[in-house]
Amino acid sequence: MRKRLGEILIAAKAITEEQLRAALATQEQRTILLGQALIEQGALDELTLSRALAKQGRLPFVDLAERTPPGRLTDLLDGKTAWELQTIPVAEKEGQLVLAVGDPQQTVVVDTLQFLLDREIGFAMTTPSGLTAALERVYGPNPIGGVGGGGQAHVDEDHGDEAPVVRLVNRMFDEAVESRASDIHIEPFADRLRIRYRVDGTLQIAAEHSIDVFAPLLSHIKVSGGLDIAEKRRPQDGRIEHRAGGRELDVRVSVLPTNNGQTCVMRLLDREANLLSLSDLGMSEEGLAWFSRLIEKPNGIFLVTGPTGSGKTTTLYAALQTLNRADKKILTVEDPVEYRIPGINQVQVHPHIGLDFARVLRAFLRQAPNVVLVGEIRDRETAEVAIQASLTGHIVFSTVHTNDAPSAVTRLLDMGVPPFLVATSLQGVLAQRLVRRLCEECRVEEDANLLERQVLGVSEGTKVFRPRGCRKCSQGYRGRIGVYEWLDMDEPLREILFQSNDPNQFVAAAGKSDRWKKLSLDACDKARRGLTSVDEVLRVTRIASDPEDEMETETAAVAATPED
């Protein structure tokens, strides 16, 4: 069993019992570490405290006040990382790279370097002021601002165990914001902990840690998100308010039990981000004109569909901002309320107290709104209440999860909504995906290959843009842009819904009509304009998705272009 810091100091005759009691009394009055309290009352100096901490943590001690580590070791670490992690390489011992830290708890955070440097890591203790002096001598002034580790020494009494975990979480959020990540994935495995960020829709490994880090890290996140830290068998959802990178974040936390432990995903919502206007969504002129006309209708239901994370909420919020005028009362029911819009009444559902979508929607109708947003239609009850609202003089916006626009109708019918209600109320459906936007700084223009010409419908010699990659982007892409398809309900389509109970007949009729503008058309147009790549078009559309279809199409293309 590890000795307490006070016991070590008394055994070494560095302090008296009276001085220890006085320091402990100070701790009861203030949130302060024991070592800092002893230094403040003059009972201890920094060097003695650091040596005691080294003994407590069973670490060797190195005095860096006047010593500069060898250049062949310090060159292994760049200055920004060294300052950020508050560590510096000082020696090599039995194949290990020994790193000096001014806080024994910092070893949990610095352990990430084992994966970055691809070598075994060991630790030594030094004084915070000595570490700061060595960092300044080797790497120059702190490039990330603030002071180094010389401010105070951290100890591992009951308060100290949390400090490195807090620093790890803060650093994780800062990195995620800096890299423009939308999600943080924390995934435990048998021998390691993996952290990944989702940037522009693509997951990237950000760090890997010792599995020992996982338990305190998840406990801290659970406490911050208001979750039950003792519950390990059931999924949990929570929310954290956090400031990172100078921005206020609303963090949605989801914890799910797996065979290796509980995996955690945190969705980052930037409260200060400016909501997009309709013109910023990236719609074509034809699509924007249709969308702008449809949302101004006095009644009916309008659906936006697409997979999770495809930007449906952003699109609907853009519509609400356009309609947010003094002559309109707008009510929304969401789970959760992602962005707060001045002038709009927004309601958060709470299913555990019976406040679900259907119940809130019924209450809305007594509020005499002009525009109603239902975050998602999940069941027949919600669908029918939303449709009834649309038939009684309200325009209702909502989302469903389907692959294309006509399938939204199929989804409502599958829920048990009568076809005549859908045919009477539905005004239109917008389906969307997000594709990665090519980085304008480094994209390259090259001759289109056979597959690219086939997908885009262009002739030989046509140029297309491809990703390259630079310091300002992620693998040649920076940001995302929407691609859209839409279905405009007309009388023939409504009549088919009335007459047939087979949803497939409706989908077939929509495909033959000119009212369904397909996703592939918009995606290919954006690729031809250099906004995205053909690879991204293929990723989000069904073009050439079947290998046999690809071969047939390519054969036809070759036959049509003998010069190939």
Side-chain angles (χ1 to χ4, degrees), residues 413 419 494-506:
L413 298 179
R494 297 183 196 277
E495 189 65 28
I496 290 173
L497 270 181
F498 271 120
Q499 294 178 356
S500 174
N501 290 324
D502 184 4
N504 292 327
Q505 289 189 14
F506 173 81

Side-chain angles (χ1 to χ4, degrees), residues 112-290:
T112 58
L113 291 177
Q114 179 164 321
F115 300 95
L116 297 176
L117 299 176
D118 193 24
R119 60 187 300 174
E120 291 293 322
I121 297 295
F123 295 100
M125 188 71 194
T126 189
T127 61
S129 60
L131 175 63
T132 301
L135 288 171
E136 289 177 344
R137 286 196 301 271
V138 173
Y139 300 112
N142 189 347
I144 55 178
V147 296
Q152 70 180 55
H154 294 281
V155 297
D156 90 325
E157 296 288 334
D158 293 343
H159 308 289
D161 288 339
E162 189 181 19
V165 174
V166 174
R167 287 196 295 272
L168 177 58
V169 171
N170 290 339
R171 181 164 173 259
M172 190 165 56
F173 279 123
D174 288 340
E175 286 180 348
V177 169
E178 185 178 355
S179 61
R180 302 175 293 104
S182 60
D183 304 88
I184 299 174
H185 292 246
I186 302 171
E187 302 162 314
F189 297 96
D191 58 346
R192 72 190 192 282
L193 171 67
R194 182 174 70 182
I195 295 177
R196 295 192 289 175
Y197 301 153
R198 188 179 293 279
V199 181
D200 295 335
T202 303
L203 281 171
Q204 303 173 2
I205 295 178
E208 290 187 325
H209 301 275
S210 165
I211 193 62
D212 296 335
V213 179
F214 176 63
L217 174 62
L218 186 64
S219 294
H220 176 73
I221 291 172
K222 280 186 169 184
V223 170
S224 301
L227 305 181
D228 183 357
I229 62 174
E231 179 57 71
K232 299 180 180 180
R233 298 172 298 173
R234 298 177 182 174
Q236 295 188 74
D237 297 304
R239 196 170 213 165
I240 300 174
E241 295 181 355
H242 188 87
R243 185 169 183 83
R247 311 193 72 84
E248 292 291 339
L249 298 179
D250 202 356
V251 183
R252 290 160 54 183
V253 182
S254 173
V255 176
L256 178 70
T258 69
N259 60 329
N260 288 313
Q262 300 169 89
T263 183
C264 175
V265 177
M266 294 186 286
R267 169 69 59 87
L268 309 182
L269 302 173
D270 188 349
R271 287 183 182 175
E272 300 175 11
N274 294 323
L275 294 174
L276 299 182
S277 64
L278 287 183
S279 59
D280 294 329
L281 292 175
M283 291 184 181
S284 64
E285 290 186 10
E286 182 185 4
L288 182 59
W290 171 81

Side-chain angles (χ1 to χ4, degrees), residues 483-497:
V483 291
Y484 303 90
E485 73 174 26
W486 60 92
L487 176 66
D488 188 26
M489 293 292 291
D490 62 359
E491 288 307 315
L493 291 178
R494 297 183 196 277
E495 189 65 28
I496 290 173
L497 270 181

Side-chain angles (χ1 to χ4, degrees), residues 4 62 124 419:
R4 289 179 172 271
V62 57

